[in-house]
Amino acid sequence: MKFFPRVILLLLALQAAPLAFGRTAALPRDISAPAAAFAPQSSQPPAGASAPETSPTASPQTSEKKVTAYTLPPDLYRKARDLGRFHARFAWIDFFYGIFVLWVILYWRFGPQFRDWAESVSRNRFVQAAIFAPLLLLTMAILGLPSDVYENSVERKYGLSIQSWGSWFWDWTKGQFLGILLGIILIAILYAVIRWSPRFWWFYFWLAWLPISVMLVFIQPVIVDPMFHKFEPLQQKDPALTASLETMVQRAGVTIPPERMFWMGAGEKTTELNAYVTGLSASKRIVVWDNTIAKMNTPQIVLVVGHEMGHYVLNHIWKGLLFADLFGLLLLYLGFRTISWLLRRFGAAWGIRGVEDWASLPALLLLISIYSFIANPVQSAVSRHFEHQADQYGLEVTHGLNPDSGEVAAQAFQILGEVDLSDPAPSPITVFMFYSHPTIPDRIRFSLTYDPWDKGEQPEFVK
């Protein structure tokens, strides 16, 4: 389940997710997922729809034909619409299934059983956390596995995923291992501060979380991402492209050495296109997927990386980190305000002794899952704003470098939509609820109409 948090407040781990160029739906992936920041907008077919057996993107239109709007041939249009409908429905199904899993855990008293086992082994609280957390988190992950398997199986039918099931389950296993390590630490800290300060635990836990969140953002590209994909210096894989990117970097007046530009081998697992910026300080980097290099020409890739440079220059990582931390504080406070009420009504039936009990964690996750889902439109809107700014920056920084930067951007988005099967006409409600990026039609429209230079005006970001 992509939305449902596996670990206490893993929603906050969105801070560690990179800002991606190509993905347009806002369902956050599990923190354990590979480097892509969000689940792809290109969805799978609704129930009963026929799925193609081969990838529809075997021969993407990478020509430099003029683009006036986002258009798809009839077969791709139908598939993209089916995918969009599926993901819109799956977002809701996944959320309610996650709530159902938590209810099952509470109703069948898994938490109290795991708590009793942990307390019977040791009186040391950290040892108890090291026993309780893996048992609970693995139970949640296993019960949630059908949702993940179903989504991946449909992506395979549409050719978006070409990863073998063995490789997929190995990635899933590595993800659970990382989630459990983080979960032990977070859960131990959470219940320590709950016992220490029953009235203000939500604030103290948030304070403890702040340095952890920064550390996660720093280490993800260095430690976590290489566990799921192969990375190599872009300069070694494509020196000519690197030279073009360096010219663009110099034009922007930004210091991003070639050592911070990486090629990622996504093609062994997916047919989709993407690029992203991630990390902080010494770990900050731009990553371009091998699929993107294979299916776009140099001016289009320069535009894509110009978009990513916008995230650098406009401080979107730090802004996103700040937003996620403040949002996490709000979630913790809402959880604090309502967990006591929930346990007064149902705690005895669930075998939970109180808020300070390890077994209260599923109840707290239940509340936080509901609150975070309700607030998802706000998160999506903030992300769409950042991505729109990055699109604008990409147009401005490549103006004069690419012949007709607006047309090049439109071509890049057209290719992106064709390959990723982006929905050409998503529901406004779906966009409002879940889209982390502007829609492909909107991005093409903006690319073709944004031209301050023709009006004698100064661009906003690149003077």
Side-chain angles (χ1 to χ4, degrees):
M1 293 169 287
K2 295 298 186 287
F3 182 84
F4 175 61
R6 269 68 163 198
V7 187
I8 177 63
L9 292 182
L10 271 192
L11 175 67
L12 295 182
L14 279 174
Q15 302 164 78
L19 295 160
F21 171 79
R23 296 178 176 270
T24 50
L27 291 180
R29 290 189 184 270
D30 189 334
I31 185 178
S32 65
F38 302 99
Q41 174 207 339
S42 50
S43 317
Q44 295 88 15
S50 60
E53 297 299 325
T54 58
S55 170
T57 62
S59 300
Q61 298 179 12
T62 57
S63 66
E64 299 180 15
K65 69 177 183 179
K66 187 173 180 62
V67 174
T68 58
Y70 180 44
T71 58
L72 294 173
D75 59 331
L76 289 188
Y77 184 91
R78 175 183 58 82
K79 293 170 186 175
R81 290 292 287 140
D82 284 346
L83 289 169
R85 294 187 186 103
F86 171 82
H87 265 205
R89 295 170 185 172
F90 186 79
W92 294 94
I93 293 171
D94 191 51
F95 166 69
F96 284 110
Y97 183 66
I99 297 300
F100 172 73
V101 166
L102 284 172
W103 179 83
V104 167
I105 289 173
L106 289 166
Y107 182 81
W108 290 101
R109 298 190 175 193
F110 284 103
Q113 294 180 45
F114 299 153
R115 172 203 64 206
D116 292 344
W117 293 347
E119 291 179 346
S120 68
V121 171
S122 174
R123 298 183 63 181
N124 182 280
R125 295 288 293 175
F126 187 80
V127 173
Q128 291 176 8
I131 297 171
F132 174 82
L135 291 172
L136 179 65
L137 298 177
L138 278 176
T139 300
M140 293 164 61
I142 291 171
L143 291 176
L145 190 57
S147 174
D148 296 339
V149 169
Y150 174 57
E151 184 178 25
N152 187 62
S153 67
V154 183
E155 289 190 352
R156 284 166 59 87
K157 291 179 181 179
Y158 270 80
L160 298 177
S161 172
I162 55 176
Q163 185 177 16
S164 69
W165 279 110
S167 173
W168 187 89
F169 275 108
W170 177 231
D171 279 352
W172 183 88
T173 302
K174 289 184 286 187
Q176 301 313 312
F177 174 75
L178 292 174
I180 287 172
L181 287 181
L182 178 62
I184 291 172
I185 296 171
L186 292 180
I187 292 170
I189 294 173
L190 173 65
Y191 283 90
V193 296
I194 287 177
R195 284 171 168 254
W196 178 60
S197 179
R199 291 188 60 189
F200 296 102
W201 62 261
W202 53 277
F203 181 71
Y204 292 122
F205 178 72
W206 179 75
L207 289 179
W209 165 255
L210 293 179
I212 296 176
S213 68
V214 174
M215 180 193 68
L216 288 175
V217 177
F218 181 85
I219 70 172
Q220 177 170 336
V222 179
I223 297 177
V224 178
D225 292 347
M227 295 176 63
F228 298 92
H229 288 289
K230 181 180 180 181
F231 292 83
E232 295 184 22
L234 184 61
Q235 192 171 28
Q236 293 181 10
K237 301 295 293 188
D238 196 329
L241 174 60
T242 304
S244 296
L245 295 180
E246 284 188 273
T247 301
M248 187 263 293
V249 168
Q250 293 171 3
R251 162 107 165 58
V254 178
T255 303
I256 303 180
E259 305 85 68
R260 298 285 188 91
M261 301 177 187
F262 286 86
W263 168 99
M264 190 185 94
E268 62 183 10
K269 296 181 179 181
T270 181
T271 61
E272 295 177 89
L273 309 184
N274 207 355
Y276 63 88
V277 59
T278 186
L280 290 174
S281 186
S283 73
K284 186 182 287 187
R285 62 197 58 200
I286 287 174
V287 176
V288 184
W289 287 14
D290 57 345
N291 294 342
T292 305
I293 296 173
K295 296 180 179 180
M296 289 186 180
N297 61 32
T298 297
Q300 292 159 0
I301 297 174
V302 170
L303 181 282
V304 169
V305 177
H307 166 104
E308 296 309 319
M309 186 176 299
H311 290 309
Y312 263 117
V313 176
L314 303 178
N315 295 312
H316 286 163
I317 291 181
W318 283 109
K319 291 177 182 178
L321 188 62
L322 175 62
F323 171 78
D325 281 331
L326 293 177
F327 181 70
L329 178 62
L330 176 62
L331 287 181
L332 284 168
Y333 179 72
L334 292 174
F336 160 74
R337 296 292 298 179
T338 52
I339 185 64
S340 296
W341 167 83
L342 185 66
L343 295 183
R344 281 196 301 269
R345 292 202 58 180
F346 304 105
W350 292 338
I352 301 173
R353 299 189 294 240
V355 179
E356 74 287 349
D357 185 359
W358 298 113
S360 70
L361 180 59
L364 183 60
L365 283 174
L366 178 69
L367 293 171
I368 289 176
S369 295
I370 294 171
Y371 296 142
S372 56
F373 187 81
I374 293 172
N376 204 57
V378 177
Q379 303 174 73
S380 298
V382 171
S383 180
R384 286 197 303 273
H385 174 67
F386 286 166
E387 296 299 334
H388 175 72
Q389 284 191 326
D391 284 349
Q392 181 178 333
Y393 185 92
L395 288 167
E396 293 181 6
V397 78
T398 58
H399 178 73
L401 297 179
N402 284 341
D404 194 347
S405 59
E407 177 61 27
V408 170
Q411 293 169 1
F413 288 125
Q414 176 68 33
I415 295 169
L416 177 70
E418 291 178 4
V419 174
D420 289 3
L421 290 178
S422 300
D423 193 341
S427 162
I429 294 176
T430 300
V431 174
F432 173 75
M433 283 292 300
F434 303 117
Y435 269 48
S436 63
H437 291 56
T439 67
I440 292 294
D442 286 344
R443 298 176 89 174
I444 289 179
R445 190 177 304 112
F446 177 74
S447 298
L448 295 174
T449 57
Y450 181 70
D451 191 0
W453 305 276
D454 187 57
K455 302 174 183 177
E457 300 173 355
Q458 283 288 323
E460 182 176 1
F461 301 125
V462 182
K463 305 301 182 181

